[in-house]
Amino acid sequence: MLRVTDEAARTDAGRQRHANEDCYYARAPVYAVADGMGGAQAGEVASRIAAEAFDQRTDEGTPEQQLARVALEANRRIFDLAQEDSSRSGMGTTLTGLLVDGDEVAIVHVGDSRAYVFRDGELRRLTRDHSLVEELRRQGRLTPEEAEEHPQRSIITRALGPERDVELDVHTHRARNGDVYLVCSDGLTSMVREDRLREIVAGAESLQAAVDALVAEANQMGGRDNITVVLFRLGGDDAGDGGEPGLDQTVVGLRAPEPETGEQQVVVPEAEPEPREARPAERPRARTKQRRPRRTLRRFVVAAVVVVLLAAAIAGALAAIRSTYFVGQDGRGLVTLFRGVPYELPFGIDLYESQYVSAVPARTLTPTQRRRLLDHQLRSRDDAADIVRGLERGSE
């Protein structure tokens, strides 16, 4: 039976943020990181609600079901609060939470915070980012190297709070004696490459030293966002080995229980399969009339899968549009914060909407400011809002 033998955690505002919208929960056997969005008055609230929701966790159901209930309840609270207070409209938070249960670690994940396991000198990511750039990388439109440097890598496609319904990634990871788990916000991973994360964890004398070194490294690389790092180590019997080498992952494909309101549903996707050696080609089978119905069924299944994938891609694109912002000018020539992307569809359908109109006339900006700030570059809400506030204060 494995248990937590050591832990360390720290959150830091970074070098370019005035407020810290990150929040973490570190109380064995649960560890979680939430990265808020929507401005200091909203992002801080959303991430705190997500973290504090773990205090109400019960042992009823499987570990996956426990984590899913916590995340869904946090989503409901954040969404309802945003509906009641227009100043917090659109607020949300990422959430990556781990629950240690014997020789397994259950994981709930939404957004672009991450979980890793450090084992046998190697660092392996256990979560997949719900971000626009990650979607492009999975589609093969970006290389991993391009994804790490992409200017829109902070745009997420899923979060707790912005919508009444949320889709969660929930799975279970097989643990081992000596495993070290890292849970962090993107303020760390957007500044520090994964190979460097591994070096720091491997070379640290203690978990606290590793946490401090990771935060320092992120700040040294620019510290553009809030930085939160949680580390914990498992120890005890070797029950988690199970005689299986490597980082085997067990996915428990259970659905979390439906909430009492019936408004939200948890989708538990399967984890990405481990790479396997190519199998030798099988001898082709003779084609017979008896096999045609099977081929027809196969075609039907393939078509159904394609339809589902297209629907998922459209849903992801719509979510990405709703979480994207840019700065421009409205019809009166005033600097404006827009939500969406700066494109129009046929029949006059706009893919953007005005979120805030400042009192700053665009004509008063210098040519350099206009090129740098009113370029319609896609940004996070915080970055776009900071630009507009800076122009209003005259500090841009």
Side-chain angles (χ1 to χ4, degrees), residues 118 121 197-205 210:
F118 179 75
L197 296 179
R198 185 197 64 78
E199 291 176 359
I200 293 174
V201 174
E205 296 181 353

Side-chain angles (χ1 to χ4, degrees), residues 290-337:
Q290 288 75 13
R291 295 189 181 277
R292 286 181 183 175
R294 184 173 299 176
R295 291 200 302 272
T296 302
L297 177 61
R298 186 181 299 114
R299 290 169 185 164
F300 174 78
V301 172
V302 171
V305 170
V306 170
V307 170
V308 171
L309 291 177
L310 285 175
I314 293 173
L318 292 176
I321 289 174
R322 293 182 59 84
S323 62
T324 304
Y325 296 81
F326 66 93
V327 179
Q329 57 180 308
D330 66 0
R332 296 175 296 168
L334 298 177
V335 174
T336 302
L337 173 65

